[in-house]
Structure formats: C-alpha cells, structure tokens
Amino acid sequence: RNWQLSMSDNGSRVVLVTGVSRGLGRAMAEGFREAGCTVLGCGRSRQAIDELNQQFGAPHHFDVVDVAQEEQVNDWADPLLADGLVPDLLLNNAAVINANAPLWDVSSEEMSSLLNVNILGTHHVIRAFVPAMIERGRGVIVNFSSGWGRSTSPDVAPYCATKWAIEGLTQALASELPDGMAAIPLNPG
C-alpha cells in the first residue's frame, strides 16, 4: 500500500492516544508532543487527565473517557472532529489485564471487563474516528496487541484472547481501508 502520515491542515500531525493517563500511553503522548504533534488523548483517571491538560496546554486536549462506553467515545469524538481534529495517527492503546488466575477461576464480570475495554473499546474508537480519516483520505490506525496476541501463557487466558482478537480485527480492518491508509497491530514489547 502507498500510505503516509501527512500533516494536518494546521501544519501539525494530529495523534490520538487512548489509555493516555499512564504507562506507555503517557510516554507516547509526551514523545509525540516533543516531536511537534498535536496530541489528543483519553483515559479514565480524572486526576491524570487534569494533569495532562495542565502540563501540555493548547492545542493538545485530553478527556476522561471510558472507551468501553460507546456513548462516551462518541461524546469525546464529535467536538474534536467538528473542530477539524481528525487523527493522522490513531493509537488504540487502552487495555486492561485480568488478575492472574486459571481461566475457570476468572469471573464473568472480569472477563466482560476485558472484552469491553480491549475489544469493544477499540471498536468504539474506530467507529468514532476512522470514517473522518477515510473521508480525508489518509491516516494510520495502530491497535496495540501483545506478545500474548500471538502466543499464550497460563493465568492470563482472557487477556490473550482479547489480544488475539485485536490481531485478527486489525488485519481485517487493514484489508477494508482505502489506499492512502493503513492499520497495523503492534506488539510494543
């Protein structure tokens, strides 16, 4: 495919990061800001989101969003897209992992939480932002996987299952996107 990460209309690349409040998400936000990108992000921690907004300032923007809740994702996306903040790079980083346990000891509630955040959350963000990216004709979607998205390990079967799903979902998405766009599953390890 012939794809590229292009500049947005204001001359700055727009990078959207889910799960931005800590760990890899926060590190990526800081790195992209230092690289001159406009960073948009979401996380579930009000305190962390407030800190990011204060630390980064405009034009960067961070919101409290639970990606497992489609309405929250849409309420986050709509004003950003209305302001012309269409991602050049969309990083679906938000994820949770189960407490170590054999699969038969993992509760339905914990399993549902992993499915809702790790798979449905990725789907919600794709549904909210990718149509605008397609309309613009460019952009890259990176869905974070794991080494456990291509292998397994005891006591984390639910997490492995969600990351295997991300691998397949992303490969299928890549085949659906028009020329000028790309989707990749990424194992950050």
Side-chain angles (χ1 to χ4, degrees), residues 71-107:
E71 186 174 329
Q72 287 185 33
V73 172
N74 291 336
D75 289 347
W76 172 49
D78 291 345
L80 294 174
L81 295 173
D83 286 344
L85 293 169
V86 178
D88 294 291
L89 178 60
L90 189 159
L91 302 165
N92 272 309
N93 170 66
V96 294
I97 190 167
N98 58 287
N100 285 6
L103 184 58
W104 55 88
D105 286 340
V106 175
S107 71

Side-chain angles (χ1 to χ4, degrees), residues 45-127:
S45 166
R46 166 56 64 196
Q47 179 181 346
I49 294 300
D50 289 346
E51 288 171 7
L52 282 164
N53 278 315
Q54 184 176 10
Q55 176 188 352
F56 281 52
H60 314 286
H61 188 78
F62 304 94
D63 286 295
V64 176
V65 177
D66 180 352
V67 295
Q69 304 300 316
E70 186 173 26
E71 186 174 329
Q72 287 185 33
V73 172
N74 291 336
D75 289 347
W76 172 49
D78 291 345
L80 294 174
L81 295 173
D83 286 344
L85 293 169
V86 178
D88 294 291
L89 178 60
L90 189 159
L91 302 165
N92 272 309
N93 170 66
V96 294
I97 190 167
N98 58 287
N100 285 6
L103 184 58
W104 55 88
D105 286 340
V106 175
S107 71
S108 292
E109 293 79 17
E110 188 171 18
M111 185 71 175
S112 291
S113 175
L114 268 74
L115 294 171
N116 289 337
V117 172
N118 298 5
I119 301 171
L120 285 177
T122 298
H123 179 249
H124 295 156
V125 173
I126 288 168
R127 282 180 43 83

Side-chain angles (χ1 to χ4, degrees), residues 21-43:
S21 58
R22 61 189 175 97
L24 182 59
R26 190 163 190 146
M28 287 188 298
E30 291 171 358
F32 282 115
R33 178 188 63 170
E34 289 171 12
C37 299
T38 297
V39 182
L40 311 174
C42 72

